[in-house]
Amino acid sequence: MEKSVDAAELPELISEAAIQRRVAELAAEIQEFYGDEPPLLVGVLNGAVIFIADLARRIDADVRFEFMAVSSYGDAMTSSGAVKILKDLDSDIAGKRVLIVEDIVDSGTTLQYLLRMLRERDPKDVRVVSLLRKPQARESGTDPDWVGFEIEEVFVVGYGLDVGGKYRNLPYIAALQTD
Ligand code: IMP
Ligand code: MG
């Protein structure tokens, strides 16, 4: 039988308190930026669920949210390179301000695809907030407008992020040792 990793064995990379502090800062910046025209938050399932829930509750404005599901990683830790829509938005975003809420930007493939697709629908504008950003993302040319934390090239889990569906419910971010 496959040996499962105990969450207690995973080294903590970003604490729950640090995440909560940063999410509050991001919320304040976003609220200030949009003023009296709050955006539609578009959460990217499943990874951004915890982040969007915390972020939305910190924004004191009429923010609504919807979700999209795309697949690029499947169940593995290596990108397949292809992005596919598994669930689309329910509403028409034409003329609206849209803020994509992502868990992490790695190669930038997912984000590039989402941006291209949503821009074709003529929203007023589309911006991006990502909780985490890996080094590779900086070279991809699709930079999020707001980033919570810059992290090294390490696979992380927790606070919505998973490996094979596991660890999304950890309240902190942990590095997954793969050796
Ligand atoms: P990208 O298309 O390479 O930028 O990958 C973005 C997606 O891959 C994210 O939305 C995550 O779902 C997943 N991903 C990338 N790095 C990690 C990680 O370290 N842990 C968990 N998921 C990751
Ligand atoms: Mg994701």
Side-chain angles (χ1 to χ4, degrees):
M1 210 174 90
E2 196 189 328
K3 187 181 179 295
S4 64
V5 189
D6 192 317
E9 291 170 18
L10 300 177
E12 182 178 282
L13 201 64
I14 309 170
S15 72
E16 182 174 3
I19 295 171
Q20 292 305 327
R21 262 198 312 275
R22 187 69 186 120
V23 170
E25 284 172 8
L26 290 170
E29 283 176 34
I30 287 165
Q31 186 178 319
E32 156 98 22
F33 178 83
Y34 286 98
D36 57 10
E37 224 183 327
L40 172 72
L41 304 181
V42 173
V44 185
L45 295 172
N46 295 326
V49 161
I50 312 279
F51 178 40
I52 196 175
D54 282 346
L55 184 73
R57 285 179 293 177
R58 293 278 190 176
I59 299 175
D60 184 16
D62 180 20
V63 285
R64 320 257 165 129
F65 46 85
E66 284 201 28
F67 294 95
M68 288 191 70
V70 293
S71 79
S72 61
Y73 268 65
D75 255 5
M77 285 167 55
T78 47
S79 177
S80 67
V83 181
K84 188 169 76 184
I85 299 190
L86 304 176
K87 185 214 172 295
D88 205 340
L89 295 176
D90 299 319
S91 70
D92 182 4
I93 57 166
K96 291 194 181 161
R97 307 198 79 171
V98 174
L99 178 60
I100 299 174
V101 182
E102 255 288 28
D103 50 0
I104 187 165
V105 185
D106 182 5
S107 68
T109 309
T110 309
L111 196 54
Q112 229 154 25
Y113 176 82
L114 276 172
L115 281 169
R116 193 170 355 107
M117 200 190 58
L118 294 183
R119 281 183 179 138
E120 278 170 11
R121 300 178 187 184
D122 293 322
K124 180 166 180 187
D125 51 21
V126 187
R127 287 190 161 74
V128 181
V129 56
S130 182
L131 181 70
L132 305 172
R133 174 165 60 183
K134 284 188 177 177
Q136 224 194 317
R138 274 164 246 152
E139 297 145 33
S140 74
T142 43
D143 245 8
D145 300 86
W146 294 275
V147 171
F149 301 92
E150 305 282 351
I151 61 166
E152 292 314 306
E153 189 50 60
V154 55
F155 199 84
V156 290
V157 294
Y159 199 73
L161 292 136
D162 73 306
V163 59
K166 203 171 170 186
Y167 300 125
R168 290 195 200 275
N169 62 332
L170 288 183
Y172 55 91
I173 305 241
L176 193 73
Q177 311 281 51
T178 50
D179 46 38

